[in-house]
Amino acid sequence: LDNLIFLGQLSKQRMPLIWMLTDVSLIHLRKSDTFKTVIPSKMFEAMAMSRPIILGVEGESQALLTNANAGICIPPGDAKALAKAVMELYTSSDKVKCMGESGRAFVKAYYDRVSLAQQYLKVLGALLDKENLNTKNELERLT
């Protein structure tokens, strides 16, 4: 392929520009039980930038991508499946656009940091209210 570039590890500051220059993201980890339980953070970045993903990771990541309808899952290490996925996206700009938009909508709906922080504060507030209520009830019982 003459339009494929492997850059190696880059700083977080450079990534917005890199995402803007890409059409599709390849996220691939070797086949391993350990990797079945991880979700690479770059999945969220790619989806937030409306980039469809070709994902060669099993487990949690695969479930998330499928739920988001944000790309194509392939078995880790399967070169033929990778080539097929590349060609599928290469020949369908509509599919690329649809998967990109779907991924962006998914992370916005379920993984927005502000929204998650607000949900977390509600949980903490409810726990504190419950603890205060328990403490108040205990004090009333003792007096």
Side-chain angles (χ1 to χ4, degrees):
L1 297 174
D2 61 3
N3 61 347
L4 180 69
I5 301 170
F6 288 96
L7 297 174
Q9 189 170 0
L10 300 172
S11 69
K12 284 280 185 192
Q13 292 77 18
R14 292 190 65 195
M15 289 313 299
L17 175 62
I18 300 300
W19 287 119
M20 286 175 42
L21 297 172
T22 63
D23 295 315
V24 174
S25 175
L26 171 63
I27 301 174
H28 193 273
L29 299 174
R30 69 187 148 140
K31 188 174 181 80
S32 165
D33 285 342
T34 300
F35 292 144
K36 289 180 180 180
T37 62
V38 302
I39 300 174
S41 61
K42 64 185 84 177
M43 284 185 69
F44 299 103
E45 295 172 6
M47 288 190 285
M49 294 292 292
S50 302
R51 298 306 185 258
I53 299 167
I54 297 174
L55 181 70
V57 183
E58 298 175 319
E60 303 265 339
S61 300
Q62 186 176 17
L64 187 138
L65 190 72
T66 301
N67 289 337
N69 191 32
I72 299 171
C73 298
I74 62 169
D78 188 334
K80 288 183 181 181
L82 173 58
K84 182 180 176 191
V86 168
M87 290 307 298
E88 184 177 336
L89 294 177
Y90 175 74
T91 59
S92 180
S93 59
D94 288 343
K95 187 173 277 194
V96 167
K97 185 177 183 196
C98 181
M99 287 179 169
E101 289 173 354
S102 181
R104 181 168 174 79
F106 186 83
V107 294
K108 190 174 182 182
Y110 299 104
Y111 293 96
D112 175 74
R113 288 180 188 240
V114 172
S115 176
L116 290 173
Q118 289 170 343
Q119 290 175 32
Y120 189 60
L121 286 174
K122 285 180 186 176
V123 169
L124 289 176
L127 288 172
L128 288 173
D129 288 344
K130 183 178 178 182
E131 183 61 33
N132 288 338
L133 181 61
N134 288 343
T135 302
K136 182 180 175 187
N137 288 343
E138 186 63 24
L139 287 174
E140 288 174 357
R141 189 181 67 75
L142 292 174
T143 55

XYZ file of all heavy atoms in Angstrom, residues 48-82:
242
model
N -14.575 9.744 18.855
C -14.855 11.163 19.086
C -14.514 12.008 17.858
O -15.154 13.026 17.606
C -14.090 11.668 20.305
N -13.539 11.550 17.077
C -13.141 12.266 15.866
C -13.889 11.752 14.631
O -13.523 12.055 13.505
C -11.630 12.142 15.660
C -10.794 12.836 16.727
S -10.923 14.635 16.710
C -10.117 15.036 15.180
N -14.931 10.953 14.848
C -15.773 10.416 13.757
C -14.993 9.546 12.784
O -15.267 9.529 11.588
C -16.469 11.547 12.989
O -17.258 12.323 13.847
N -14.026 8.799 13.310
C -13.240 7.900 12.468
C -13.661 6.461 12.727
O -13.632 5.992 13.873
C -11.740 8.023 12.760
C -11.147 9.390 12.488
C -11.431 9.853 11.068
N -10.778 11.089 10.738
C -11.390 12.275 10.697
N -12.666 12.374 10.999
N -10.739 13.357 10.352
N -14.081 5.742 11.688
C -14.420 4.332 11.886
C -13.165 3.543 12.250
O -12.046 3.955 11.938
C -14.973 3.903 10.530
C -14.394 4.853 9.556
C -14.185 6.150 10.297
N -13.379 2.418 12.895
C -12.269 1.623 13.419
C -12.297 0.231 12.798
O -13.348 -0.393 12.706
C -12.388 1.496 14.950
C -12.323 2.875 15.611
C -11.329 0.554 15.521
C -12.730 2.885 17.072
N -11.124 -0.227 12.414
C -10.937 -1.651 12.132
C -10.270 -2.181 13.395
O -9.166 -1.770 13.745
C -10.061 -1.891 10.890
C -10.739 -1.318 9.651
C -9.798 -3.396 10.722
C -9.888 -1.366 8.390
N -10.979 -3.047 14.093
C -10.554 -3.489 15.421
C -10.149 -4.956 15.421
O -10.967 -5.832 15.153
C -11.686 -3.273 16.427
C -11.387 -3.674 17.866
C -10.378 -2.709 18.488
C -12.663 -3.705 18.683
N -8.906 -5.208 15.746
C -8.407 -6.562 15.908
C -8.160 -6.835 17.382
O -7.032 -7.092 17.794
N -9.202 -6.737 18.169
C -9.131 -6.991 19.613
C -10.420 -7.716 19.992
O -11.497 -7.322 19.562
C -9.019 -5.679 20.434
C -8.863 -5.983 21.915
C -7.872 -4.806 19.938
N -10.297 -8.739 20.799
C -11.479 -9.488 21.231
C -11.993 -8.962 22.567
O -11.336 -8.176 23.234
C -11.118 -10.969 21.380
C -10.680 -11.620 20.097
C -10.211 -13.049 20.290
O -9.500 -13.316 21.283
O -10.552 -13.883 19.462
N -13.176 -9.401 22.946
C -13.700 -9.137 24.288
C -14.405 -7.804 24.428
O -15.241 -7.424 23.616
N -14.059 -7.090 25.505
C -14.727 -5.824 25.860
C -14.680 -4.813 24.722
O -15.684 -4.169 24.421
C -14.058 -5.205 27.099
C -14.026 -6.089 28.302
C -15.175 -5.846 29.245
O -15.791 -4.774 29.202
O -15.463 -6.760 30.031
N -13.532 -4.672 24.097
C -13.384 -3.704 23.005
C -14.298 -4.054 21.841
O -14.935 -3.179 21.249
C -11.936 -3.663 22.511
O -11.077 -3.289 23.538
N -14.346 -5.312 21.524
C -15.180 -5.787 20.422
C -16.657 -5.508 20.716
O -17.397 -5.039 19.849
C -14.941 -7.281 20.220
C -15.625 -7.869 19.038
C -15.256 -9.346 18.862
O -14.755 -10.003 19.778
N -15.497 -9.869 17.689
N -17.083 -5.763 21.947
C -18.476 -5.504 22.336
C -18.793 -4.019 22.244
O -19.857 -3.636 21.744
C -18.731 -6.026 23.745
N -17.891 -3.184 22.705
C -18.108 -1.746 22.655
C -18.227 -1.264 21.213
O -19.154 -0.519 20.868
C -16.963 -1.015 23.357
C -17.172 0.484 23.514
C -16.723 0.927 24.894
C -16.420 1.255 22.463
N -17.320 -1.707 20.336
C -17.358 -1.277 18.941
C -18.638 -1.748 18.250
O -19.265 -0.994 17.503
C -16.133 -1.789 18.177
C -15.974 -1.187 16.780
C -15.533 0.264 16.871
C -15.003 -1.989 15.951
N -19.042 -2.965 18.541
C -20.267 -3.506 17.962
C -21.480 -2.707 18.429
O -22.333 -2.328 17.625
C -20.427 -4.998 18.320
O -19.296 -5.711 17.816
C -21.692 -5.582 17.741
N -21.559 -2.422 19.729
C -22.673 -1.631 20.269
C -22.724 -0.229 19.673
O -23.796 0.333 19.481
C -22.592 -1.542 21.791
C -22.918 -2.849 22.462
O -23.588 -3.703 21.896
N -22.424 -3.033 23.674
N -21.556 0.317 19.394
C -21.483 1.668 18.842
C -21.705 1.694 17.333
O -21.908 2.767 16.767
C -20.121 2.283 19.163
N -21.656 0.533 16.702
C -21.712 0.448 15.236
C -20.699 1.407 14.616
O -21.004 2.165 13.696
C -23.121 0.737 14.712
C -23.265 0.408 13.243
O -22.620 -0.509 12.735
N -24.082 1.165 12.544
N -19.479 1.350 15.151
C -18.458 2.334 14.794
C -17.287 1.742 14.018
O -16.253 2.392 13.901
C -17.943 3.000 16.063
N -17.445 0.537 13.508
C -16.341 -0.034 12.749
C -16.545 -1.498 12.453
O -17.650 -2.026 12.566
N -15.441 -2.129 12.082
C -15.444 -3.535 11.705
C -14.514 -4.294 12.634
O -13.349 -3.911 12.819
C -14.974 -3.705 10.247
C -15.919 -2.956 9.296
C -14.873 -5.176 9.869
C -15.427 -2.885 7.860
N -15.014 -5.376 13.213
C -14.207 -6.235 14.068
C -13.605 -7.358 13.230
O -14.301 -7.959 12.411
C -15.051 -6.830 15.189
S -15.755 -5.598 16.304
N -12.323 -7.609 13.468
C -11.645 -8.713 12.795
C -10.932 -9.552 13.854
O -10.586 -9.042 14.923
C -10.635 -8.214 11.739
C -9.522 -7.388 12.398
C -11.333 -7.428 10.641
C -8.342 -7.073 11.498
N -10.693 -10.818 13.585
C -9.925 -11.621 14.533
C -8.478 -11.117 14.607
O -7.888 -10.790 13.566
C -9.962 -13.031 13.935
C -11.111 -13.032 12.974
C -11.212 -11.627 12.472
N -7.908 -11.025 15.799
C -6.514 -10.598 15.905
C -5.602 -11.508 15.069
O -5.750 -12.719 15.077
C -6.197 -10.750 17.399
C -7.530 -10.678 18.073
C -8.498 -11.295 17.116
N -4.699 -10.892 14.335
C -3.720 -11.647 13.564
C -4.218 -12.196 12.240
O -3.479 -12.901 11.553
N -5.428 -11.875 11.835
C -5.998 -12.414 10.602
C -5.789 -11.412 9.460
O -6.572 -10.491 9.269
C -7.483 -12.703 10.807
C -8.121 -13.445 9.642
O -7.628 -13.321 8.499
O -9.123 -14.140 9.878
N -4.718 -11.615 8.691
C -4.354 -10.695 7.616
C -5.429 -10.626 6.530
O -5.703 -9.547 5.989
C -3.016 -11.108 7.010
N -6.045 -11.745 6.212
C -7.087 -11.742 5.181
C -8.301 -10.933 5.627
O -8.881 -10.179 4.845
C -7.494 -13.170 4.823
C -6.436 -13.893 4.020
C -6.893 -15.278 3.631
C -5.770 -15.956 2.841
N -6.143 -17.294 2.396
N -8.691 -11.085 6.893
C -9.826 -10.312 7.412
C -9.490 -8.822 7.437
O -10.357 -7.984 7.148
C -10.207 -10.807 8.806
N -8.251 -8.489 7.754
C -7.817 -7.090 7.748
C -7.916 -6.518 6.334
O -8.476 -5.437 6.132
C -6.390 -6.955 8.282
C -5.761 -5.564 8.182
C -6.592 -4.519 8.912
C -4.332 -5.604 8.718
